[in-house]
Amino acid sequence: MDKRNSSPESAKTLPAYARVVIIGGGVIGCSIAYHLTKLGWRDVVLLERKELTAGTTWHAAGLVVCGGFSTETMINMAKYTRDLYAVLGEETGQDTGFRPVGYLELAPSREWLEGLRRVADFARSFGVPVEEISPSEVQSMWPLFDTSDLLAGFYTAEDGRANPVDVTMSLAKGARMGGVRIFEDTKVTGIKKKNGRVAGVITDRGDIDAEYVVNCCGLWGREVGKMAGVNVPLHAAEHYYLITEPIDGLHRDMPIVEDPTRYAYYREEVGGLMLGLFEPVAGPWGMKGIPEDFSFGELPPDWERLMPYIDHAMDRIPVARDAGVNKLFCGPESFTPDMGPLMGEAPELNNFFVAAGFNSLGILLGGGAGQIMAHWIVDGLPPVDVSEIDIARMLPFQNNLAYLHDRTVEQLGFMYAPGYFNLQYDSARNIRKSPLHNRLAGAGAYFASYAGWEYPDWFAPQGVEPKVDYSWGRQNWFEYSAAEHRAAREGVVLMDYSLMSKILVQGKDAEKTLNHICAGDVAVLVGQIVYTTMLNERGTIETDLTVTRLAEDSYLLVVADGFNTHLKTWLKRNIPTTAHAFVTDMTSAYTILNLQGPKSRQLLSRVTHADLSNEAFPYLTMQVIDIGYASVLALRITYVGELGWELYVPSEFAVHVFDTLVQAGEADGLKHAGLQVLETLRMEKAYRAYGHDIDNTDTPLEVGLSFTVDFDKPGGFIGRESLLKHKESGALKYRLVQFLLQDPEPLLYGSEPVFRDGELAGYLSAGAYGHTLGGAVGLGHVENEAGVSVDYVNSGTYEILVAGTRYPAKASLRPMYDPGNKKVRS
Ligand SMILES: Cc1cc2nc3c(=O)[nH]c(=O)nc-3n(C[C@H](O)[C@H](O)[C@H](O)COP(=O)(O)OP(=O)(O)OC[C@H]3O[C@@H](n4cnc5c(N)ncnc54)[C@H](O)[C@@H]3O)c2cc1C
């Protein structure tokens, strides 16, 4: 370990002003500083409380790999990082120690084989040439391994290992060369704010005024966030690797290996074995705060807790048992509630950016993270899809210490968990429940969790335990969910949809303000519902949403559950301070009962006096109706493609309304349905899901949402000019297309590569089984530099790659289910 002396700047006086102040001199802070200079921003100061790398960075194992990711943003971040570390030394004169020794993932079961094949398909489509190799090839790469249980290995030759201290020093050097001033032994003790913006930092050596402040404080990120009134939900955990004495047969050019079922990774270290662990029951750390003098710190190892995991991991390399242990190293790393990093502008404070919580991937994502953050700061908008990295996806409750502590116990193990699309956490559960929870549990609900909410995913028939047997094939609930699907298409289903975010915008300027923020025209009659998008200045989508006009001066905005903070922040930032328009979060106030299916009208008619006929209650309208003794907002709208109503029930009436509907529904064969079936139904209808099929990099044109935009409405809207330019520029480079596999057997989960006329054309953003269409359905991009016209899409022959096999698929720009919208208007 290379403890560096303080830089010359440490002795100097701090400047009174810098355009950007970066707090934290780990790999992330240094990478952002370096990348800001690449965009021409030189007036940047980086402050480090101790010495560069003294936090977590100095002791990282240095794995630098691109494999294992199933999303575009993550794989590109990793790839960019790897490629940067390979050449950075040439630019800065400080080598990063990167060596492409190769990276190997082990598949010891059929389930792992399928999972890794799916991940490898995706990686290859992004130019990462993962090779599937035989157990004997694994054996030849690691002769000391016991490979008897292996079915295959997945090998990426270009990946490798770097020295995290050298990486950081090289980035710091590059940053300095670009003009950044770095001050060590300088602790930030407070954040200055002015008019809702960050205004600078207070340090133990004086203040610096700044336009932008970036919190890159790793483990300390939550505390530094608090100084600014910003939630940075992360928690530290013990993180281990063991290093043995030298072992004959190990050498520094052997590939690094990940062995998820043994919760372990292996690489050579000074002739011995480095065995790193991601144990399923981890040890949170730092509950009483991080000691003030913690610098290049180590934690006392908990041998007793770790020994069973070490033992299990050594089964892979039995000879290691005979080698002496040189060290069981334990250092703290920070983990976030969903294992995604926390990046971007903080929702609570303008110009205060965060890049922390890297979940043990900070080195291998560091280069890409720095590049993304630099663009985000300089351009004001991120350059990539940020659905899974944006700090705004977090909710305030997630900063609760007990929640963070308990979730962290599970997080290390999650790193090596199989990538099942519906894999659930067991920790920190049952904290956010709709008032119907007990009723739904009684009806056999299997609960999954998102944004803290417990929501029914599917319902088990009587006598069956609601529990998932995870698999890449049809899971145990497949047929139960199929039955719910059929009930929605042919009868009527009831879903608890309470997790949706419900935001009221009220005031005499509500119409004018919202019409400027929304791309569609929301200056509609009271009682009308508008499905629209909100765009940024680039004309790309910040969110899609429904806007219901409740009154002249009142609108109800509904967005997907995970975008609550984002929507409120977007409104806050775009409603002028002088406007008479006020935002209230009604998410907790309303329970949503979603009644869908061709028999929904006949059922609802039995419990209300309202006229539900098409004439009296058309599609995309809202009325206050009575149900039993309650008054509810009934929105005639659907996300499943059927006749149906979403009922917004004041939460204290929810049980009563639920019971009334269930009782009345007996005559119609009402079935409970979970949100798993919402996914299968919406995929057949090709309804988009923000954060999956559409994101902040798409304009409505590419993703088939032009109908959510009204270019001609008076006063324009945010993003209009860019979008218009985009429209007038001609052909789109990609389009979102619906696919149906012709073979009814394979399953799609999203991220499967799409081939058009034999050539790679894109990948699926989501997939689910279309029980009505009779096969797996996906939504995905078809890309072509020369343009993707309707003809181009329709004239292609398509295949989708599923775990190494290409399956023919039908493609359509129009929804394959009910393209004419007859059902929803019936
Ligand atoms: C055992 C172990 C093995 C790992 N192996 C790998 C690996 O192989 N590959 C990989 O990609 N990742 C690995 N990681 C994870 C990786 O080390 C981290 O994700 C990464 O170092 C985080 O970098 P950072 O810059 O966010 O945080 P840090 O390196 O902790 O930097 C934050 C800095 O902020 C400073 N700071 C805090 N508060 C203040 C303040 N108030 N004022 C000024 N400065 C402040 C701290 O002193 C610290 O230097 C490993 C982690 C551990 C523990």
Side-chain angles (χ1 to χ4, degrees):
M1 193 268 301
D2 180 12
K3 293 194 185 183
R4 316 302 281 228
N5 293 323
S6 296
S7 63
E9 281 100 338
S10 296
K12 290 188 193 152
T13 320
L14 296 182
Y17 167 86
R19 190 173 195 183
V20 185
V21 170
I22 296 171
I23 318 170
V27 66
I28 301 299
C30 292
S31 181
I32 296 171
Y34 168 82
H35 283 94
L36 279 171
T37 67
K38 297 291 164 199
L39 298 179
W41 282 30
R42 301 168 66 86
D43 187 8
V44 177
V45 161
L46 185 147
L47 305 177
E48 164 55 49
R49 60 188 263 282
K50 299 289 182 189
E51 296 173 47
L52 295 184
T53 78
T56 296
T57 296
W58 70 277
H59 56 60
L63 275 53
V64 176
V65 302
C66 303
F69 295 112
S70 307
T71 64
E72 185 170 342
T73 297
M74 295 304 267
I75 197 164
N76 281 339
M77 249 203 277
K79 212 172 138 205
Y80 173 87
T81 302
R82 183 195 64 187
D83 297 346
L84 175 70
Y85 295 173
V87 298
L88 187 64
E90 289 166 25
E91 178 195 337
T92 64
Q94 161 76 57
D95 189 40
T96 62
F98 177 75
R99 285 184 306 111
V101 294
Y103 165 57
L104 188 53
E105 290 164 285
L106 304 182
S109 68
R110 298 237 47 103
E111 278 298 305
W112 272 100
L113 186 62
E114 165 138 12
L116 290 175
R117 277 186 178 154
R118 285 174 176 266
V119 174
D121 288 344
F122 182 75
R124 285 186 207 109
S125 75
F126 278 84
V128 179
V130 184
E131 283 174 71
E132 182 173 332
I133 62 172
S134 66
S136 57
E137 287 171 294
V138 171
Q139 189 84 69
S140 67
M141 289 179 180
W142 271 79
L144 299 177
F145 270 178
D146 174 356
T147 57
S148 55
D149 61 337
L150 292 186
L151 299 180
F154 289 81
Y155 178 63
T156 310
E158 287 85 348
D159 287 351
R161 49 191 270 199
N163 179 338
V165 171
D166 291 342
V167 164
T168 309
M169 289 306 174
S170 191
L171 289 164
K173 194 162 173 208
R176 283 192 182 107
M177 285 158 67
V180 174
R181 287 162 293 168
I182 297 178
F183 296 88
E184 297 180 295
D185 295 316
T186 308
K187 183 179 172 187
V188 171
T189 54
I191 304 293
K192 295 166 120 184
K193 304 182 201 178
K194 202 168 178 193
N195 303 328
R197 299 168 79 93
V198 75
V201 296
I202 302 162
T203 83
D204 55 2
R205 295 178 54 203
D207 297 1
I208 306 178
D209 290 341
E211 278 174 56
Y212 299 85
V213 172
V214 194
N215 171 1
C216 305
C217 291
L219 311 175
W220 296 263
R222 185 174 178 276
E223 294 313 311
V224 172
K226 272 168 103 179
M227 294 176 194
V230 166
N231 287 324
V232 183
L234 54 79
H235 197 293
E238 297 174 355
H239 194 21
Y240 288 87
Y241 49 72
L242 177 138
I243 298 173
T244 70
E245 299 287 350
I247 297 176
D248 280 348
L250 294 188
H251 59 83
R252 64 199 290 268
D253 291 325
M254 293 170 88
I256 51 181
V257 184
E258 285 189 322
D259 193 358
T261 54
R262 294 185 188 282
Y263 319 119
Y265 62 86
Y266 311 87
R267 73 163 173 79
E268 178 274 350
E269 175 73 13
V270 208
L273 177 75
M274 175 187 275
L275 185 168
L277 288 166
F278 283 93
E279 68 277 14
V281 181
W285 179 78
M287 278 71 77
K288 296 198 176 118
I290 301 165
E292 181 58 33
D293 60 352
F294 196 79
S295 168
F296 297 105
E298 292 184 35
L299 309 178
D302 185 345
W303 276 99
E304 203 179 316
R305 186 169 73 73
L306 267 291
M307 212 44 226
Y309 301 116
I310 294 171
D311 199 46
H312 184 51
M314 280 192 175
D315 284 347
R316 178 66 66 211
I317 177 160
V319 68
R321 291 187 198 286
D322 303 326
V325 172
N326 202 340
K327 182 155 189 85
L328 177 59
F329 178 85
C330 179
E333 162 68 337
S334 48
F335 291 84
T336 62
D338 64 358
M339 290 295 276
L342 305 173
M343 292 169 60
E345 190 173 10
E348 298 91 343
L349 184 61
N350 290 353
N351 287 12
F352 185 83
F353 283 74
V354 179
F358 278 83
N359 303 288
S360 206
L361 300 177
I363 309 300
L364 69 88
L365 295 177
Q371 187 207 34
I372 291 170
M373 288 294 298
H375 278 282
W376 207 330
I377 293 164
V378 170
D379 304 337
L381 288 171
V384 296
D385 168 14
V386 293
S387 315
E388 64 192 318
I389 60 174
D390 190 350
I391 190 168
R393 74 189 183 283
M394 292 290 150
L395 293 161
F397 89 88
Q398 291 177 299
N399 211 27
N400 173 301
L401 261 189
Y403 169 83
L404 287 168
H405 170 276
D406 291 358
R407 175 54 58 85
T408 299
V409 172
E410 209 180 350
Q411 287 305 45
L412 273 81
F414 232 74
M415 175 69 97
Y416 280 174
Y420 299 122
F421 78 106
N422 56 341
L423 192 64
Q424 293 293 308
Y425 287 106
D426 294 325
S427 58
R429 291 287 303 266
N430 288 312
I431 48 177
R432 213 174 167 201
K433 298 177 182 177
S434 96
L436 305 172
H437 188 85
N438 292 348
R439 289 283 199 279
L440 298 164
Y446 165 77
F447 290 98
S449 174
Y450 189 71
W453 284 99
E454 297 290 323
Y455 66 85
D457 208 29
W458 49 271
F459 286 80
Q462 235 181 356
V464 174
E465 189 192 352
K467 173 178 165 285
V468 170
D469 295 330
Y470 290 109
S471 156
W472 288 103
R474 284 162 173 68
Q475 297 183 0
N476 58 315
W477 47 268
F478 186 84
E479 286 306 329
Y480 313 145
S481 183
E484 294 170 25
H485 184 112
R486 282 191 294 275
R489 291 278 183 249
E490 296 157 18
V492 56
V493 295
L494 187 62
M495 296 174 183
D496 179 6
Y497 209 26
S498 305
L499 78 183
M500 297 298 283
S501 295
K502 308 130 206 156
I503 310 294
L504 264 188
V505 179
Q506 292 168 295
K508 59 180 191 297
D509 294 332
E511 176 192 296
K512 186 172 148 213
T513 313
L514 277 179
N515 231 9
H516 183 62
I517 300 174
C518 294
D521 190 0
V522 299
V524 292
L525 296 176
V526 171
Q528 291 203 323
I529 304 171
V530 181
Y531 171 64
T532 185
T533 42
M534 289 180 177
L535 311 181
N536 54 44
E537 289 297 350
R538 278 186 193 147
T540 59
I541 305 171
E542 288 293 329
T543 188
D544 69 333
L545 74 164
T546 58
V547 179
T548 302
R549 188 158 204 172
L550 302 179
E552 277 302 314
D553 59 354
S554 175
Y555 287 86
L556 178 66
L557 278 46
V558 178
V559 293
D561 28 337
F563 296 93
N564 182 298
T565 308
H566 179 66
L567 174 62
K568 286 189 290 190
T569 308
W570 192 253
L571 290 169
K572 184 177 82 179
R573 290 193 172 137
N574 288 291
I575 295 178
T577 43
T578 50
H580 190 262
F582 308 97
V583 175
T584 313
D585 189 345
M586 303 295 282
T587 304
S588 306
Y590 285 120
T591 296
I592 307 182
L593 281 164
N594 194 6
L595 190 71
Q596 297 285 331
K599 292 188 182 165
S600 55
R601 181 180 284 125
Q602 72 184 45
L603 191 165
L604 201 52
S605 301
R606 238 178 278 123
V607 293
T608 182
H609 295 99
D611 181 351
L612 302 175
S613 65
N614 245 338
E615 298 67 41
F617 205 146
Y619 179 54
L620 291 182
T621 61
M622 177 282 305
Q623 291 180 29
V624 178
I625 66 169
D626 56 310
I627 296 182
Y629 300 121
S631 280
V632 311
L633 296 181
L635 277 65
R636 186 162 164 208
I637 193 167
T638 182
Y639 190 55
V640 307
E642 299 296 338
L643 170 70
W645 279 265
E646 288 178 10
L647 306 168
Y648 289 64
V649 187
S651 283
E652 67 274 33
F653 290 95
V655 172
H656 166 67
V657 172
F658 177 85
D659 288 347
T660 307
L661 290 167
V662 169
Q663 202 181 5
E666 273 175 29
D668 310 286
L670 175 70
K671 209 167 165 48
H672 293 292
L675 296 199
Q676 201 54 251
V677 84
L678 192 79
E679 194 62 12
T680 67
L681 293 160
R682 74 103 181 163
M683 288 298 286
E684 290 188 327
K685 191 74 175 85
Y687 285 144
R688 278 70 169 138
Y690 193 79
H692 296 278
D693 319 306
I694 48 177
D695 62 61
N696 56 292
T697 61
D698 301 311
T699 72
L701 312 180
E702 288 114 358
V703 294
L705 294 182
S706 306
F707 70 93
T708 66
V709 180
D710 184 347
F711 283 109
D712 302 325
K713 68 178 176 177
F717 56 90
I718 300 171
R720 181 182 179 277
E721 280 60 43
S722 305
L723 189 65
L724 203 54
K725 231 184 257 168
H726 180 45
K727 192 178 173 199
E728 286 162 357
S729 70
L732 303 175
K733 295 208 164 93
Y734 64 91
R735 276 176 198 263
L736 192 67
V737 178
Q738 188 189 29
F739 297 96
L740 170 67
L741 289 189
Q742 302 301 280
D743 180 340
E745 204 44 38
L747 300 179
L748 299 172
Y749 298 115
S751 77
E752 294 85 356
V754 174
F755 291 82
R756 181 186 177 279
D757 293 344
E759 299 291 323
L760 183 68
Y763 68 93
L764 297 187
S765 46
Y769 202 79
H771 297 283
T772 309
L773 295 177
V777 187
L779 283 171
H781 286 176
V782 170
E783 301 169 8
N784 184 28
E785 256 318 292
V788 181
S789 63
V790 173
D791 272 358
Y792 182 86
V793 172
N794 293 337
S795 62
T797 306
Y798 293 90
E799 292 163 304
I800 295 180
L801 186 60
V802 182
T805 306
R806 286 194 204 180
Y807 293 91
K810 187 176 145 193
S812 178
L813 284 165
R814 301 192 73 205
M816 292 184 206
Y817 180 76
D818 190 22
N821 262 346
K822 292 204 175 78
K823 304 262 182 194
V824 299
R825 294 180 186 279
S826 61

